[in-house]
Amino acid sequence: MAKQTYSKNLDTFAKVISSLASDAVGDVEGVSLPGAKKARNAVSVYFLPNEKVTVDMFVNILQGYTVPVAVAALQENVKLQIERATKYKVHAVNVHVISVSIDQ
């Protein structure tokens, strides 16, 4: 029973951290998550020992923005939001650019 409760707690923390990371995307200019249906799979959270987490994100970059600058800003913002709102320390934020979106 304790193992099941522990698993539920991790699932809840993963959802909270995933939500924080997704919300952090909105604060960074030039970066967006993939379409609404795929947005659930755009953020993955991995728990490490000593209350640390690693976050993997799949994002789109808007045309006209410098990829390294936008990605660095996103990494900093995700780290800040997670550490501010939870007890976890961020070990890494891995950002994978899946496409460059062209505004029309």
Side-chain angles (χ1 to χ4, degrees):
M1 183 81 158
K3 196 164 195 130
Q4 185 178 15
T5 302
Y6 180 74
S7 178
K8 283 184 180 180
N9 286 343
L10 280 183
D11 286 343
T12 302
F13 280 127
K15 287 177 184 175
V16 168
I17 291 170
S18 178
S19 178
L20 289 166
S22 297
D23 290 346
V25 171
D27 297 336
V28 179
E29 258 187 78
V31 180
S32 66
L33 290 174
K37 289 183 181 179
K38 295 181 183 178
R40 288 176 282 155
N41 299 328
V43 179
S44 298
V45 178
Y46 303 98
F47 293 93
L48 305 172
N50 300 323
E51 295 186 342
K52 292 182 182 178
V53 294
T54 294
V55 179
D56 283 351
M57 303 184 73
F58 296 87
V59 299
N60 300 323
I61 300 290
L62 298 176
Q63 182 182 19
Y65 289 89
T66 307
V67 173
V69 172
V71 167
L74 178 59
Q75 288 172 320
E76 285 297 319
N77 196 29
V78 168
K79 181 178 189 275
L80 179 71
Q81 296 299 328
I82 291 170
E83 289 182 353
R84 199 182 270 173
T86 69
K87 66 180 180 179
Y88 292 99
K89 296 292 179 194
V90 176
H91 179 260
V93 178
N94 302 313
V95 179
H96 307 274
V97 178
I98 58 172
S99 71
V100 175
S101 299
I102 301 171
D103 285 338
Q104 294 184 4

